Amino acid sequence: MNLADLTAIELLAKYRDGSVSPVEVMDAVLARVDELEPQICALYALDREGARAAAQESERRWREGTAGALDGVPVTVKENIATRGTPVPQGTAATELIPAAEDAPAAARLRAAGAVIFSKTTMPEYGMLSSGVSTFHRLTRNPWDLSKTAGGSSAGAAAAAAAGYGPIHVGTDIGGSIRLPAGWCGLVGLKPTHGRIAVGNPYPGRAIGPLTRTAGDAALALSVMSGYDPRDHTSIPVASDNFEVDLQGLRVALLLDAGVGLPVDPEVTAAVSATAAVLEKVGAIVEPIAPIITREMLDGLDRFWRVRSATDIAALPEERRAKVLPQIREWVSTAGDLSGFDVFHGYSQMGAMAAAVGQVFTSYDVILSPVAPITAFPAELAYPTDDPSKPFEHIAFTVPYNMSQHPATTVNATWSTTGLPIAAQLAVPHHQDLKALALADYLTKPHPWPLA
């Protein structure tokens, strides 16, 4: 086994017994990057010298018995999670490149635990696409099939994880931006309970979470990054949930129809149904449920985000505004046609989604669904619809949990007939993040990872 493919849990065990050095592991990861990055294009601001120096410092801490919880583990963070000294372009050429003054809370906690943050990862334009299309970064591709998208907006994080650029990668999620790429790349991707990982610049629905190849590594990363930070007024103290779940009598709501958006591919339906059958066989009580959200909710969300993005873009100088991706400019071009009533009503639909999800959890312990209605679409498309006027038709299974602030994770369910990952999503009540990961751990079966 190549050292780059070992899990974080495996690496820590080998560091502890002295059979492997963090320097050796970092060299293996950088060799993998050299091999695959020209095709995958997952990284931004790769710091080879800094990574090797940090690995050497970690090696010293292990010798001295002062190693932290993630000491020497290679980690990437999405480029919109600030790291001191690195600009935060947000995936667009329209951003002024100013080095960040300090680490964001999640990055700071990773460093404090000894993790080696060796690179940032790519994202699409303003994080508003479920693809890797960007005017700043090269086009990120899916390691399972280079003609397909890795998803987004945590595009580089998912591609790096699937390609074996070390075990832990950190992304952000405001409508599915961790779970969609994790699902399309065959990964475990967790959107935690809102506030469990401090964001630093909070916004309704926005969360930070890990993308990993195993649920155990996701749980480990979550434990390191969790906790209150005064820079994020929505952050919360560390929860006391456990990485365990009792399947006997577990009440599972099976959601196969989002009620809105793209039709669900029959292969996706079959994969999620098969996952439900696995849980039912070991004692869970599985019941189909009707759609949770409505067309009005999804369209309202679109109107609110459209105006929000239009406001941000309008504030740019004209020469920078012209650099914004044309599809994004087209999407926001109709924002001026919306009234204050339209915008307020759109904002209210976030609460309506939250209430609808909360009602389901009064009767069920888990909501099992597809992550996306389709498998990964062509890499060059900004949206699966290829239509800027219909940008959210693929997020109806993911976005409700951003609005309701519930944790939700992905687990690879099977493979399509064309060899692409098909994922299931597991959403659970607030503060039961580790329960979701324990379910994913139970459902995950070992399989080889792609080398593009």
Side-chain angles (χ1 to χ4, degrees):
M1 170 69 74
N2 189 307
L3 292 178
D5 294 318
L6 294 181
T7 68
I9 292 172
E10 290 169 336
L11 287 176
L12 291 169
K14 290 183 180 297
Y15 295 161
R16 197 171 293 115
D17 67 22
S19 61
V20 169
S21 159
V23 175
E24 295 176 287
V25 172
M26 198 65 250
D27 284 344
V29 169
L30 291 174
R32 176 67 58 78
V33 168
D34 289 340
E35 177 188 0
L36 300 183
E37 184 60 8
Q39 293 79 42
I40 294 172
C41 305
L43 302 184
Y44 160 67
L46 173 63
D47 182 5
R48 295 174 186 274
E49 291 186 6
R52 289 195 168 99
Q56 289 168 355
E57 284 298 304
S58 176
E59 184 178 66
R60 177 185 58 77
R61 289 191 293 271
W62 280 104
R63 283 198 310 266
E64 296 175 351
T66 60
L70 279 179
D71 227 297
V73 174
V75 172
T76 71
V77 296
K78 189 175 176 181
E79 61 106 308
N80 66 341
I81 301 171
T83 53
R84 186 169 60 86
T86 304
V88 182
Q90 300 183 79
T92 177
T95 299
E96 188 176 2
L97 297 180
I98 301 172
E102 62 180 0
D103 284 345
R109 288 182 185 271
L110 289 166
R111 285 199 210 276
V116 178
I117 301 177
F118 68 94
S119 185
K120 309 296 287 292
T121 52
T122 62
M123 62 182 282
E125 203 84 0
Y126 287 115
M128 292 305 296
L129 307 175
S130 296
S131 68
V133 176
S134 164
T135 55
F136 182 84
H137 300 294
R138 295 178 300 164
L139 178 62
T140 304
R141 296 179 178 274
N142 192 318
W144 292 101
D145 181 342
L146 295 176
S147 73
K148 303 298 184 183
T149 185
S153 62
S154 302
Y165 293 4
I168 293 176
H169 307 268
V170 182
T172 64
D173 191 317
I174 199 172
S177 289
I178 288 172
R179 290 158 291 155
L180 290 165
W184 285 325
C185 288
L187 306 166
V188 173
L190 173 70
K191 184 208 77 68
T193 298
H194 188 86
R196 181 157 186 164
I197 298 175
V199 173
N201 50 341
Y203 191 82
R206 188 165 188 244
I208 288 176
L211 296 90
T212 61
R213 297 192 297 276
T214 68
D217 277 1
L220 177 60
L222 178 68
S223 70
V224 167
M225 292 187 287
S226 293
Y228 173 77
D229 188 287
R231 290 173 286 177
D232 181 351
H233 67 275
T234 68
S235 62
I236 57 178
V238 176
S240 59
D241 54 331
N242 297 309
F243 189 69
E244 58 186 28
V245 63
D246 184 1
L247 296 172
Q248 190 65 41
L250 188 74
R251 299 170 301 168
V252 178
L254 178 60
L255 178 66
L256 295 175
D257 177 10
V260 62
L262 295 174
V264 182
D265 186 291
E267 283 193 289
V268 174
T269 298
V272 176
S273 297
T275 302
V278 169
L279 295 176
E280 196 166 34
K281 187 175 181 180
V282 293
I285 301 166
V286 179
E287 296 178 351
I289 62 169
I292 297 175
I293 68 169
T294 64
R295 181 84 255 173
E296 181 182 16
M297 292 177 188
L298 191 63
D299 286 349
L301 189 79
D302 181 348
R303 288 192 292 272
F304 175 75
W305 279 356
R306 195 179 299 230
V307 171
R308 172 213 169 193
S309 296
T311 301
D312 291 342
I313 293 170
L316 297 173
E318 184 176 353
E319 67 275 10
R320 284 167 52 197
R321 195 159 58 240
K323 296 179 180 179
V324 174
L325 189 76
Q327 291 94 324
I328 295 291
R329 295 205 307 271
E330 183 177 345
W331 174 55
V332 303
S333 65
T334 58
D337 300 333
L338 299 172
S339 67
F341 174 86
D342 294 328
V343 178
F344 179 79
H345 180 71
Y347 182 82
S348 74
Q349 295 310 296
M350 295 160 66
M353 282 191 191
V357 173
Q359 184 60 39
V360 177
F361 281 125
T362 63
S363 301
Y364 295 96
D365 303 309
V366 181
I367 303 173
L368 170 64
S369 75
V371 176
I374 57 173
T375 55
F377 54 94
E380 290 78 12
L381 297 184
Y383 311 99
T385 58
D386 197 23
D387 182 353
S389 70
K390 297 178 179 179
F392 298 147
E393 298 302 295
H394 58 293
I395 68 171
F397 286 112
T398 52
V399 74
Y401 308 115
N402 294 86
M403 302 305 107
S404 69
Q405 305 187 2
H406 287 93
T409 194
T410 66
V411 60
N412 195 55
T414 190
W415 308 91
S416 72
T417 53
T418 57
L420 293 171
I422 299 177
Q425 178 175 237
L426 302 157
V428 296
H430 294 127
H431 314 299
Q432 295 186 17
D433 307 57
L434 292 179
K435 180 177 182 177
L437 290 174
L439 277 168
D441 187 60
Y442 178 82
L443 291 166
T444 300
K445 299 294 185 287
H447 47 72
W449 294 93
L451 293 179

